[in-house]
Amino acid sequence: RRDSAKVLAKWGACRIWDVLAKSLVHGRVLWCAGGMDYGMSLSARREITKKEAGEYFRSSKKAKGEILDRLMVEIGWSRANARRQLGRAFRRRGPARVVTRKPRPPSYGYDTVKVLQQVWVVAGQPCGKYLAAVMSATLVNMEAHIGSGAFGRARPRYSPQVHTQLLAMSAATIDRLLAPFKLSMYPEGKSTTRSRRNHYTEAIPIMSRIPDIDWQPGLVAIDTVAHCGNSAKGQYAFTLTATDVFTGWTVNRAIKNKASKWVVKAMDEIQDEFPYPIDHCHSDNGSEFLNEPVTTWCNAQNIRMTRSRPHHSNDNPFVEQKNGAIVRRSAFNYRYDTDTELRLLNELWPLVNVRKNLFLPTKKVTGYHLSGKGKSVRSYDDPRTPAQRIEDTGIMLEPQRRHMKELYASLDLAGLTTRINEIQQQLIRLAAAKTYSQAPHAA
């Protein structure tokens, strides 16, 4: 009924009744109690279009307009869609079901896909949006260290054509081409977070959202990730993650267990690695943070403490995201419970942090806007690395800024990734057997 009103308004009542009269002669207009019914089958629509297609392309301009008007009333198509369907039906020979659709030839060859896999590994396995943003810088770094094996086995496949295709590749295409390569890479993880109430729970205030005054460098979200494998029994290592909410600068430290003395020691080391002072720590309700040694250390360092609401992990989303994107992706989900594995983890994290902070970009929410369908969606800024965000703030002194630029220019990204992979393989060799032996199906 609504579509009929639009047609009436555009072409006038006299013309539409003339179209309806012609359609009634053809016997193809369906009526119901509430008006016209466009619920005809797809085969009926194709049959009508096929019959009209020949006449449409032999007719004059005025007659074509009448045919389009008739299809709008009979089938309910828009004028543009009716014209498009008539063109397809005219070119089609035979019924639509026997027409085989020719697949579009692939735009990217096998060589491009293999080089893309190597670039993804060297860059730290980011998602397509982030890899597309740093593709040019990553290729420049790999080409500068091509003699040291930056491209690995994909070196013979790298050519100017492949280089051009990688730079032109969209984020969605990167994710689609890498999807088979990413499947079944890591075992599943296990959470050991348990909220406990004590007098520190009442003393440390809750912060469920970040106020505008704290949107500046210095607010650090912290959390721990358990390396327990498939069983939380016994003693095993943890990784303490600290990430700046504003810049995304992230530092990790492996600790022997969640005892407060190890947490305090790790926080001391993390504070020394941040390029600017920490003035605010935000954690969950884990007992490793809500205790006397940690609160005493924060008070001595003049660091304000806040916590999330119990069982609301989204109150601390920035570090929760890093738990998956950095800790689980780099150290996997194996069980690490020996001194050798703890030492390897602490060799791994500085390398992973340098690659993440200097080379891998992040996006930040800048606000919300209404989509075309009236839905409120997030708006993001352009992807930038944590180092670039820190430089934009102007919080670093000139010697620190100069040191960071020199480190970025001299760092061999492929060599760094190779060393990361070597440590990861050592960890897997040490931990894989005992991790899978503790799985439920192993019994």
Side-chain angles (χ1 to χ4, degrees), residues 368-436:
Y368 294 84
H369 67 277
L370 292 177
S371 65
K373 297 181 179 181
K375 183 180 179 180
S376 180
V377 296
R378 293 186 181 96
S379 300
Y380 294 89
D381 61 2
D382 295 330
R384 295 181 63 78
T385 64
Q388 291 172 332
R389 294 183 184 276
I390 293 175
E391 188 175 359
D392 293 342
T393 62
I395 196 172
M396 289 193 304
L397 299 176
E398 183 58 32
Q400 294 174 312
R401 187 180 294 108
R402 190 184 313 113
H403 171 72
M404 189 173 294
K405 289 183 178 180
E406 292 174 355
L407 179 63
Y408 179 85
S410 62
L411 195 62
D412 179 5
L413 183 57
L416 181 68
T417 302
T418 300
R419 179 55 186 157
I420 290 173
N421 293 339
E422 290 174 355
I423 297 175
Q424 289 173 335
Q425 293 304 315
Q426 293 181 55
L427 288 170
I428 292 173
R429 284 195 296 270
L430 291 170
K434 62 183 175 184
T435 300
Y436 290 119

Side-chain angles (χ1 to χ4, degrees), residues 219-289:
L219 169 56
V220 173
I222 57 176
D223 196 10
T224 55
V225 176
H227 298 295
C228 60
N230 294 307
S231 174
K233 296 181 180 179
Q235 179 173 280
Y236 42 85
F238 287 79
T239 290
L240 176 61
T241 303
T243 182
D244 188 280
V245 172
F246 185 76
T247 64
W249 188 274
T250 304
V251 180
N252 300 91
R253 273 292 177 276
I255 55 179
K256 191 172 184 178
N257 51 49
K258 289 201 295 187
S260 57
K261 65 176 182 178
W262 303 124
V263 175
V264 170
K265 181 182 177 181
M267 289 300 298
D268 259 330
E269 297 174 356
I270 288 172
Q271 187 183 36
D272 292 338
E273 286 201 19
F274 262 77
Y276 46 84
I278 298 174
D279 55 36
H280 184 174
C281 277
H282 182 70
S283 69
D284 57 16
N285 289 267
S287 59
E288 68 270 27
F289 301 121

Side-chain angles (χ1 to χ4, degrees), residues 201-213:
T201 306
E202 304 299 330
I204 298 174
I206 289 177
M207 185 179 71
S208 59
R209 59 179 298 274
I210 300 173
D212 294 338
I213 193 174

Side-chain angles (χ1 to χ4, degrees), residues 1 3 17 37 70 74 103 109 183 205 218 230 245 253 278 318 351 406 411 422:
R1 190 185 306 170
D3 293 336
W17 284 116
D37 180 16
R70 190 158 60 244
E74 294 176 7
L183 291 177
N230 294 307
V245 172
R253 273 292 177 276
I278 298 174
F318 302 96
L351 305 178
E406 292 174 355
L411 195 62
E422 290 174 355

